[in-house]
Amino acid sequence: MKQVLIFAEQTAGELRPVALELLGAGRQLADKLGASLSCVVMGHTITHLPSLLIAGGADLVYIADNPALETYRTLPYRRVFIDLIASMEEPPHIILLGSTTTGRDLAPRIAAYLETGLTADCTELDIGPYEHTSALDPTKVGLYENCLYAIRPSFGESLKARILGPWKNPQMATVRPSVMIALPVDTARQGAVQEIPVVLQAEDLGLVVLETLRAVSESVELAKADVIVSGGYGLGSTEGFGLIHELASCFENSAVGSSRKAVDSGWIAHAHQVGQTGKTVRPKLYIACGISGAIQHRVGMDKSATIIAINRDANAPIFKFAHYGIVGDLYQIIPEMIQQLKQGTPSNISKAGEANVLTYTL
Amino acid sequence: MNSFVLIKQVPDQSAKAGVNADGTIDRAKAKRMLNPFDCFALEAALQTKRLYGATVTAITMGPPPAIEILYEAIAHGVDRAVHLCDRRLAASDTLATAYALYNTVRYAGAFDLVFCGLQTTDGDTAQVGPQLAERLQVPQVTYCESFEVQRDKLIARRVTESGTQVVECPLPSVVTVANSAHRLAYKTLRGVQRVHQLQRDEVERNQVIRTVSLDDIQADPVRCGLKGSPTIVAATEKVGEIGGKCVLFQGKSIDTMVSGLLTDISLAELVQR
Ligand SMILES: Cc1cc2nc3c(=O)[nH]c(=O)nc-3n(C[C@H](O)[C@H](O)[C@H](O)COP(=O)(O)OP(=O)(O)OC[C@H]3O[C@@H](n4cnc5c(N)ncnc54)[C@H](O)[C@@H]3O)c2cc1C
Ligand SMILES: Nc1ncnc2c1ncn2[C@@H]1O[C@H](COP(=O)(O)O)[C@@H](O)[C@H]1O
């Protein structure tokens, strides 16, 4: 039977949201294809995960539970993945991974190993026919059914491109987090669980994780924050982020984000970057300070429930998609906001140590 | 020690020239630039030269004008360069690109570290680095923010969604560099003089910058370009501009605007207490 296979990413025994989003997207593709939806999950002491994955839409869960897989490392995960595919009678029709740092690290290795096509960072997926007529490469000409349509923004996102590779299975794609919709959890769903062997080679084990420093700042991940205050090039300096942190600390469960230009300028670590080459976020409130609203930034945050923009240029593109805006100098507006927010909630005391930013330079 | 850095020339998307009305890029007309993400990779490679005395080789695959970014790299202190330039590479997807670059790397000789940018602004996939590592059968460190070399090992920090990881990785390996720690320093005076010299002296230029074809690097043309690419762009579609409604506060005193905003939206449940 045709198979759609997804990679279910987990950290420390907790599924990443993108795992369930991929199951939601994969379920639709599998149903269109008349295929089964399977997923592979790797880690250590993760026997509680298969039931969650089945409730999330999987027909079959392949599980590799082994101490060597506890923390993600490219080569051990790659080995288990390619061995799994080699053990199948026919390769999966489609393989999907999240375009997280892990998915983008692993997927290209697997695609290159399998010599198959891989489309990066898709925002839409579909199944349909495709007729290749161009005779530039005669071996490709023909009508193909059941192709994966991997749709992604391109050229600075002013265009959407539909990318196809029906000539060889698996047809692979990575999918942007927070875009696909997970299915409602259905604990009555039935599915099978299959343990898969973990046979690592010496050369898979050369890289060792020495240390994991959790969290960006305030021990809150951008992806999980309710409120994100982001700073851009308009801050003018690394010191400007002090103010951004101070505003963030006025809110519960908040985090600090940034534009790429602020990161490129060396003012803040890449881990804070929101956008096409950073994180996709969907907080309840996003406050963009000194950010112009370039399309590459927008795609990372425009699903936020409420967007407030502070910019001194009334024509800045960010005001085209922000819900609220203040036109003016952020160095005047933010301190006033902090003051008014604190007055509004007199019991507010900023948490000790919260303004400490972890810096990552060795 | 030998460090390679993979750099690509891309159209400058901020310049209006060469951007068609439908958003596609006319590469012939567009201004060209060094992929901004590759500046960080270049700086990382130059750091191995400064700290460990590495010889740095810049490698690019692209049409003839791509030599411009190799000059730029030399002006920054790169020692030598290889330019893979062959019409049969046209329409390469990432798999075909990685295959061609793999053969170029092998042609360029032994290496300890290959630095790649996080991604290109035109190809925009972040796939070529890991796909190259797969071909080379070496480990990789992606999203690397800073690193040191200790004996024959790389100690690197990488950024992930949930924090930073410190890893120890054997050499040789492939590193893709995140855009923050390694800001490209200024061109060196010596580098700039060297470029002037190379532009005048063809014999020396051909020694420092090798321009090679698929035959020179012994790559199989069937695995390159259109034929070697398992994916194609089947269709493109313009994305409509969104126009939302923004409640805008402007032209009033700061405290009026801020209190206007804060009374308009209820932030009560989000505010720290
Ligand atoms: C392939 C690719 C990937 C990219 N990925 C990302 C990504 O992931 N994330 C991302 O953010 N960008 C990304 N970019 C870059 C993006 O195109 C923009 O260059 C970037 O977002 C601009 O950052 P900015 O808004 O901070 O800076 P600018 O565009 O320079 O805007 C600064 C703004 O600050 C305002 N300002 C200045 N001073 C003040 C002040 N005192 N008070 C108030 N306002 C002030 C100005 O009016 C201006 O609007 C990517 C680009 C490419 C090509
Ligand atoms: N044509 C090329 N020549 C040299 N290096 C390249 C080329 N294409 C991609 N790369 C390298 O691979 C990285 C990722 O590119 P991409 O997969 O296109 O996003 C780039 O930052 C470069 O370091």
Side-chain angles (χ1 to χ4, degrees), chain A residues 209-255:
Chain A
V209 177
L210 299 177
E211 198 181 351
T212 305
L213 307 166
R214 295 243 111 226
V216 176
S217 56
E218 292 125 53
S219 71
V220 174
E221 284 189 41
L222 278 175
K224 292 184 184 155
D226 287 326
V227 178
I228 295 176
V229 184
S230 272
Y233 196 65
L235 286 177
S237 70
T238 191
E239 287 73 40
F241 273 98
L243 201 55
I244 299 294
H245 272 274
E246 204 182 322
L247 179 55
S249 68
C250 294
F251 299 98
E252 242 8 294
N253 190 26
S254 63

Side-chain angles (χ1 to χ4, degrees), chain B residues 114-130:
Chain B
V114 177
F115 293 97
C116 293
L118 195 61
Q119 71 187 113
T120 52
T121 54
D122 61 346
D124 185 15
T125 74
Q127 286 174 186
V128 169

Side-chain angles (χ1 to χ4, degrees), chain A residues 67 160 223 228 280 296 301 344:
Chain A
K160 273 196 298 193
I228 295 176
T280 309
Q296 294 89 354
M301 46 65 82

Side-chain angles (χ1 to χ4, degrees), chain A residues 12 22 27-28 38 43 61-62 76 88 121 127 130 139 144 154 158 161 175 217 232 235 240 316 338 342 362:
Chain A
L22 285 178
R27 187 72 261 167
Q28 285 191 345
S38 49
V61 178
Y62 299 105
M88 294 174 175
D121 210 17
I127 300 287
Y130 171 67
T139 61
Y144 301 86
S154 75
S158 55
V175 180
S217 56
L235 286 177
I338 293 169
K342 286 187 176 170
L362 273 177

Side-chain angles (χ1 to χ4, degrees), chain B residues 235-267:
Chain B
T236 54
E237 180 191 322
K238 195 155 170 64
V239 185
E241 267 299 309
I242 47 152
K245 248 198 272 147
C246 180
V247 180
L248 207 58
F249 298 88
Q250 60 178 323
K252 304 237 174 61
S253 74
I254 300 289
D255 65 328
T256 322
M257 292 196 293
V258 170
S259 64
L261 174 79
L262 295 182
T263 44
D264 239 42
I265 33 176
S266 167
L267 299 177

Side-chain angles (χ1 to χ4, degrees), chain B residues 6-8 35 38 59-61 116-117 119-120 125-128:
Chain B
L6 268 57
I7 58 178
K8 187 183 183 191
N35 174 33
D38 293 347
I59 294 176
T60 193
M61 157 180 149
C116 293
Q119 71 187 113
T120 52
T125 74
Q127 286 174 186
V128 169

Side-chain angles (χ1 to χ4, degrees), chain A residues 78 101 105 109 140 152 160 162 164 208 210-211 213 215 250 252 263-264 270 276-277 323 325 327 360, chain B residues 119 124 134 138 140 142 145 161-162 164 166 168 179 223 226 229 232 234-235 237 244 247 249 270 272:
Chain A
R78 164 194 175 274
T101 52
D105 184 86
R109 293 233 36 158
K140 288 200 170 107
R152 59 169 316 215
K160 273 196 298 193
R162 181 193 290 172
L164 298 178
V208 186
L210 299 177
E211 198 181 351
L213 307 166
C250 294
E252 242 8 294
V263 174
D264 281 3
H270 177 90
Q276 194 187 334
T277 37
H323 304 101
V327 181
Y360 298 115
Chain B
Q119 71 187 113
D124 185 15
E134 179 66 28
V138 299
Q140 70 193 30
T142 53
E145 217 171 27
E161 280 78 8
S162 47
T164 332
V166 183
E168 179 190 278
N179 55 322
R223 296 179 70 186
L226 196 63
S229 298
I232 52 142
E237 180 191 322
V247 180
F249 298 88
L270 300 173
Q272 172 95 27

